[in-house]
Amino acid sequence: AQSVTQLDSHVSVSEGTPVLLRCNYSSSYSPSLFWYVQHPNKGLQLLLKYTSAATLVKGINGFEAEFKKSETSFHLTKPSAHMSDAAEYFCVVTYYGGSQGNLIFGKGTKLSVKP
Amino acid sequence: GAVVSQHPSWVICKSGTSVKIECRSLDFQATTMFWYRQFPKQSLMLMATSNEGSKATYEQGVEKDKFLINHASLTLSTLTVTSAHPEDSSFYICSARDRRVSTDTQYFGPGTRLTVL
């Protein structure tokens, strides 16, 4: 069975410092992994996705994530946080070629950015 | 590209009324659309999968007679919350999968905030 665990419910950083949002997954198959961002009262925006190509995935707004099979992790990073990065971030797992409706969401990590 | 819209963005209704929420893929065709529900400070929970031209598939615990889904065309799916009650108040989000692309990526709408008084 597939599952995803976001290790931190809340992360607080200062503007200009690095961001690390942690995600571990469990999958019996070759997973596809996503990071979505949700700003308050807004829908979800795709930041980046991993689908068995390069293990280091670059996304929008300077975010990137590295797929580490040995650690079953897909942590999201950004070298320098911006105030506009404050939002809720969801790590999502699915398995490639799976049946419809098989996105499994983590519980989310709220990122706060202090000036 | 890959824009999904929802209408309305928010709605307030009285208990016992029905509310219809529309989900549209604006620049692509979606044979499959998904409806999620999100409670405050929680993650998204899949309610149902909507297929164009066929009946929706509901997740366990979701009442199909309560949450009516119609996928009338390749660009439109509707969710009707029938006889809404305060416990139905939530943030409803739809997503769509682009039929031209054989990946798992879903594109999400901006959500609809439902408040039942």
Side-chain angles (χ1 to χ4, degrees):
Chain A
Q2 290 74 40
S3 67
V4 60
T5 302
Q6 290 183 244
L7 298 163
D8 307 295
S9 59
H10 189 196
V11 170
S12 181
V13 301
S14 296
E15 190 175 22
T17 63
V19 176
L20 170 63
L21 304 183
R22 298 183 293 168
C23 172
N24 285 95
Y25 70 92
S26 172
S27 176
S28 304
Y29 304 86
S30 297
S32 293
L33 293 154
F34 309 80
W35 276 99
Y36 285 90
V37 60
Q38 184 181 33
H39 289 91
N41 294 312
K42 300 288 187 182
L44 276 74
Q45 181 183 20
L46 179 66
L47 277 179
L48 50 81
K49 62 179 178 179
Y50 165 78
T51 54
S52 76
T55 56
L56 182 62
V57 182
K58 293 187 183 299
I60 61 172
N61 301 336
F63 284 96
E64 63 181 38
E66 186 172 6
F67 173 72
K68 292 187 177 181
K69 187 175 182 179
S70 60
E71 299 176 11
T72 60
S73 68
F74 190 58
H75 301 334
L76 181 71
T77 60
K78 182 173 180 177
S80 177
H82 192 273
M83 294 296 290
S84 61
D85 294 328
E88 189 89 17
Y89 291 80
F90 293 97
C91 182
V92 181
V93 67
T94 185
Y95 59 92
Y96 184 73
S99 60
Q100 54 202 9
N102 59 345
L103 285 189
I104 299 170
F105 283 78
K107 293 189 175 182
T109 298
K110 182 178 180 179
L111 175 65
S112 298
V113 181
K114 298 175 290 186
Chain B
V3 178
V4 176
S5 71
Q6 282 184 241
H7 178 80
S9 55
W10 60 269
V11 56
I12 302 172
C13 68
K14 291 183 178 179
S15 185
T17 61
S18 294
V19 175
K20 179 185 284 188
I21 303 170
E22 293 186 346
C23 176
R24 294 181 185 272
S25 55
L26 297 184
D27 51 1
F28 65 99
Q29 292 182 329
T31 50
T32 305
M33 289 183 170
F34 306 87
W35 286 97
Y36 294 84
R37 184 173 180 176
Q38 185 181 30
F39 290 102
K41 300 186 187 301
Q42 295 190 28
S43 189
L44 279 72
M45 298 296 295
L46 179 66
M47 298 174 65
T49 303
S50 168
N51 298 295
E52 187 266 338
S54 63
K55 290 183 179 180
T57 302
Y58 290 82
E59 295 300 300
Q60 192 173 11
V62 178
E63 299 177 58
K64 61 180 181 181
D65 295 329
K66 171 78 171 175
F67 299 98
L68 300 178
I69 292 172
N70 182 21
H71 196 150
S73 73
L74 288 173
T75 59
L76 173 64
S77 175
T78 61
L79 168 69
T80 301
V81 183
T82 62
S83 186
H85 290 283
E87 59 265 27
D88 298 323
S89 298
S90 191
F91 196 49
Y92 292 87
I93 302 176
C94 75
S95 70
R97 187 176 284 162
D98 188 339
R99 70 182 301 207
R100 300 167 300 179
V101 183
S102 59
T103 72
D104 301 317
T105 303
Q106 294 180 18
Y107 300 96
F108 286 82
T112 297
R113 172 78 57 193
L114 171 63
T115 302
V116 184
L117 303 176

